[in-house]
Amino acid sequence: MQFAAFADRAAELEAEPADLETVSLVAALLRDAGDDIGTVARFLQGRVFPGWDARTLDVGPALCYAALAKAAGTNVTADDVEERLAEEGEIGAVAANLDLGGQQGLGAFAADGAAGRDDPTLAEVDAELRAVAATEGDGSEDTKLATLFGLFSRVSDAEARYLARLVLGEMRLGVGEGTVRDAIVEAFAVDAGLVADALQVSNDYGRVARIARDEGEDGLEAMSLTVGRPVQSMLAQAGTVTGALESWDDVAAEIKFDGARVQLHHHPEGIAPPDADRDATPDDPTVRLYSRNTSEVTDALPEIREFAEQRLDAPAILDGEVVAVDDDGSPLPFQEVLRRFRRKHDVDRMREEVELEFHAFDCLLDGREATEGTDLLDSPFRMRHDRLADLLPDATSEVLYSDDADEIEAFEASALSAGHEGIMLKRPDSTYTPGDRGQDWLKRKPDVETLDCVVTGAEWGEGRRANEFGTFLLAVGADDGYETVGKVATGITDERLAALTDLLEPHVINEDGQTVEFRPAVVFEVGYEEIQASPTYSAGYALRFPRFVEVREDKDPEDADTVERVERLANGGEGGN
Ligand SMILES: Nc1ncnc2c1ncn2[C@@H]1O[C@H](COP(=O)(O)OP(=O)(O)OP(=O)(O)O)[C@@H](O)[C@H]1O
């Protein structure tokens, strides 16, 4: 398929307001996509890589504007592109009006290796974007710029609209995961439940679309978890012991460890890297570790890798928390783990400073021969946990199965006095539902709830702080983008303000006097006293007394809290008992 044909269909989708029609248009596009079906399923969602693959293009707005400016010709600068963005409101419209590769464009003269407008195929665009993602090291910015310039010079105005959005990961087509899922069902007349299950185990819309088309329901049914391809983590809602005991016969209470989520994959025959299009060989590592966002973190956590290498023999996928401990083995605050977590250099030195432990709390795949069935997603929690305790007796979370509130309270008190964050309450017969923040896992924390908010704006400080941001605008996820819920200025030390300014400045997309606007990129955890309905902010709610707690480096904007959750919290639907 030509990229131009994809852009035409994207324009049709963008113009379609009705959800049902959108699903039908996507279904038709999937049917027409031929060999490009996987790429189409991903591009429509603004993704180049499947969900299990954490690679990103790593192209910030500034680089994208520079590439657009270069392709637009000698008269246009990156600042001009930014200015137009302020007028037009979104990058697609800007790109479509720049006459890229046209009369003025350098691409017209085939400079710098650019071929001029030549109608690239979808596969070519995909390959070029993957090349951008693979570029690293010294001079990588220049190489990325050259590749993007080359691509932008090759496309028409209509194509440029969607190419620019794709580069920045914001397609704005109203096509979310649910739309693609429903479209696969409609396009290939396959069972919706089978498609949903296949998506859960594979975390890969492109592959599910292809299998639904080529192998039908049998193929979907045969899809199972694959060691080395992380699934989305199952998540929790805030809940109460009384609520859990009212809804369930008994409760599985566990310690809530204060660390970072890690999915541990083990295969004795090696696990191929995610970007290698080949089977594993014995030279590949036998353990790979993934963060909550499915990024690989194996190299940052060598002791966890060594632990798994020594202790596991068969294929396994385990879910757990990595916690930092002091010399006595008592847990240290979550920030200590993060220091280790994102570490690329000096890992050995850091390893001496901060000791890490893995606490496994779930088992998604148990490949030991003696056990029946390997994929445990549909098995009840009690059984998954028993398997886990059998696999790693000394590194598995302790569980208290109880229907007695007093007993659970005593369990919580001992968890807190041992320095843990709180407890989790799980429904003992619940299945593992990847990516789901459902009612089967509840977190009970003794302190006030916090919210994870996307920082969408800020105001410059005054006087001696004129070069630092002073107040941050907070937003939460909505159906279409983000809605604001408050501003935070308290809880931030001077030193921290400087660091936050450095962190956020590269994400500025707009500036108007004292006020700046950010591309959604950074997530703040924010405490508050209360949430009130309020017309001041676009979410319709305002946080009272918001207080900065931490930057959630382990979360992407998509993982932030939502308007729906804010509404629930405001109406007292969640909270301590
Ligand atoms: N025993 C446990 N079972 C499940 N999750 C646990 C456990 N101990 C610690 N956790 C952590 O608690 C989190 C559950 O809360 P939630 O699903 O809301 O994630 P979160 O949004 O990262 O929340 P939080 O900010 O509370 O860590 C898990 O993601 C995991 O990192």
Side-chain angles (χ1 to χ4, degrees), residues 274-293:
D275 49 347
D277 201 8
R278 60 168 174 81
D279 289 336
T281 71
D283 291 337
D284 286 318
T286 53
V287 174
R288 286 189 191 271
L289 306 169
Y290 301 94
S291 74
R292 188 183 189 285
N293 298 335

Side-chain angles (χ1 to χ4, degrees), residues 236 254-257 261 321 426 437 443 552 555:
E254 268 183 331
I255 288 170
K256 185 173 194 295
F257 303 101
R261 186 89 175 248
E321 191 91 345
K426 298 181 180 175
R437 194 185 284 284
K443 54 179 171 182
R552 288 298 306 252
K555 288 197 175 178

Side-chain angles (χ1 to χ4, degrees), residues 191-203:
D191 180 71
L194 286 179
V195 171
D197 288 351
L199 287 170
Q200 284 200 335
V201 295
S202 67
N203 203 358

Side-chain angles (χ1 to χ4, degrees), residues 141-218:
E141 290 283 290
D142 291 345
T143 315
K144 285 182 184 200
L145 178 65
T147 311
L148 290 177
F149 158 63
L151 256 184
F152 280 129
S153 305
R154 293 173 64 185
V155 297
S156 68
D157 298 342
E159 291 164 80
R161 179 184 301 272
Y162 299 103
L163 181 58
R165 291 186 188 171
L166 187 57
V167 166
L168 292 182
E170 44 184 66
M171 283 305 262
R172 297 170 167 254
L173 300 178
V175 175
E177 297 187 341
T179 316
V180 179
R181 183 192 60 216
D182 295 349
I184 295 172
V185 171
E186 183 177 319
F188 309 115
V190 284
D191 180 71
L194 286 179
V195 171
D197 288 351
L199 287 170
Q200 284 200 335
V201 295
S202 67
N203 203 358
D204 189 336
Y205 282 78
R207 191 158 148 243
V208 171
R210 182 184 296 278
I211 290 185
R213 181 191 66 188
D214 298 345
E215 300 171 34
E217 295 188 343
D218 289 348

Side-chain angles (χ1 to χ4, degrees), residues 547-560:
R547 176 179 52 84
F548 172 83
V549 178
E550 196 46 77
V551 177
R552 288 298 306 252
E553 287 176 41
D554 58 333
K555 288 197 175 178
D556 292 327
E558 307 79 84
D559 304 322

Side-chain angles (χ1 to χ4, degrees), residues 238-523:
T240 63
V241 176
T242 352
L245 285 173
E246 268 167 23
S247 320
W248 315 330
D249 294 339
D250 64 348
V251 167
E254 268 183 331
I255 288 170
K256 185 173 194 295
F257 303 101
D258 192 13
R261 186 89 175 248
V262 163
Q263 205 173 94
L264 187 158
H265 289 231
H266 173 262
H267 202 296
E269 283 149 28
I271 308 170
D275 49 347
D277 201 8
R278 60 168 174 81
D279 289 336
T281 71
D283 291 337
D284 286 318
T286 53
V287 174
R288 286 189 191 271
L289 306 169
Y290 301 94
S291 74
R292 188 183 189 285
N293 298 335
T294 68
S295 300
E296 186 165 358
V297 290
T298 319
D299 291 343
L301 309 173
E303 61 269 63
I304 313 293
R305 191 197 67 221
E306 286 161 18
F307 167 78
E309 280 166 358
Q310 285 158 13
R311 300 293 302 280
L312 298 169
D313 299 320
I317 302 180
L318 310 181
D319 194 0
E321 191 91 345
V322 167
V323 179
V325 289
D326 65 15
D327 294 342
D328 311 333
S330 303
L332 292 168
F334 161 71
Q335 287 77 1
E336 292 295 324
V337 191
L338 280 193
R339 276 178 64 205
R340 280 288 311 275
F341 213 62
R342 286 279 157 104
R343 204 74 198 185
K344 288 219 168 88
H345 308 290
D346 277 347
V347 172
D348 288 337
R349 189 174 57 75
M350 287 296 287
R351 181 177 175 170
E352 275 170 23
E353 272 178 36
V354 183
E355 195 185 328
L356 297 183
E357 280 178 358
F358 181 61
H359 294 275
F361 51 70
D362 218 312
C363 178
L364 280 49
L365 182 143
D366 175 6
R368 287 175 298 170
E369 272 176 25
T371 55
E372 257 176 61
T374 56
D375 179 339
L376 299 178
L377 291 184
D378 288 334
S379 305
F381 169 79
R382 198 188 284 265
M383 176 180 162
R384 298 197 308 273
H385 200 275
D386 287 350
R387 290 279 193 98
L388 184 62
D390 198 33
L391 265 175
L392 285 179
D394 54 344
T396 293
S397 58
E398 179 195 345
V399 182
L400 168 75
Y401 293 101
S402 173
D403 61 0
D404 177 353
D406 292 341
E407 201 179 13
I408 299 170
E409 205 172 302
F411 181 78
E412 179 178 74
S414 79
L416 291 174
S417 64
H420 297 292
E421 198 190 3
I423 57 170
M424 299 286 300
L425 307 168
K426 298 181 180 175
R427 185 163 68 85
D429 50 0
S430 59
T431 58
Y432 192 100
T433 45
D436 203 18
R437 194 185 284 284
Q439 300 277 0
D440 288 339
W441 283 17
L442 303 175
K443 54 179 171 182
R444 180 172 146 67
K445 285 197 266 181
D447 53 348
V448 187
E449 263 303 318
T450 57
L451 269 184
D452 293 327
C453 300
V454 180
V455 189
T456 54
E459 275 155 38
W460 289 109
E462 298 193 348
R464 126 189 115 75
R465 287 192 171 169
N467 294 327
E468 284 167 7
F469 297 129
T471 307
F472 299 89
L473 184 63
L474 305 167
V476 287
D479 287 344
D480 193 14
Y482 298 93
E483 303 291 355
T484 53
V485 284
K487 286 181 182 168
V488 67
T490 38
I492 316 177
T493 61
D494 281 3
E495 200 186 6
R496 207 54 207 275
L497 266 183
L500 291 177
T501 303
D502 288 345
L503 176 72
L504 280 153
E505 214 168 358
H507 300 293
V508 171
I509 48 176
N510 227 330
E511 191 155 8
D512 183 9
Q514 290 288 98
T515 314
V516 300
E517 192 186 329
F518 300 123
R519 177 172 76 95
V522 173
V523 177

Side-chain angles (χ1 to χ4, degrees), residues 104-116:
Q104 297 297 315
L106 287 179
F109 306 102
D112 283 11

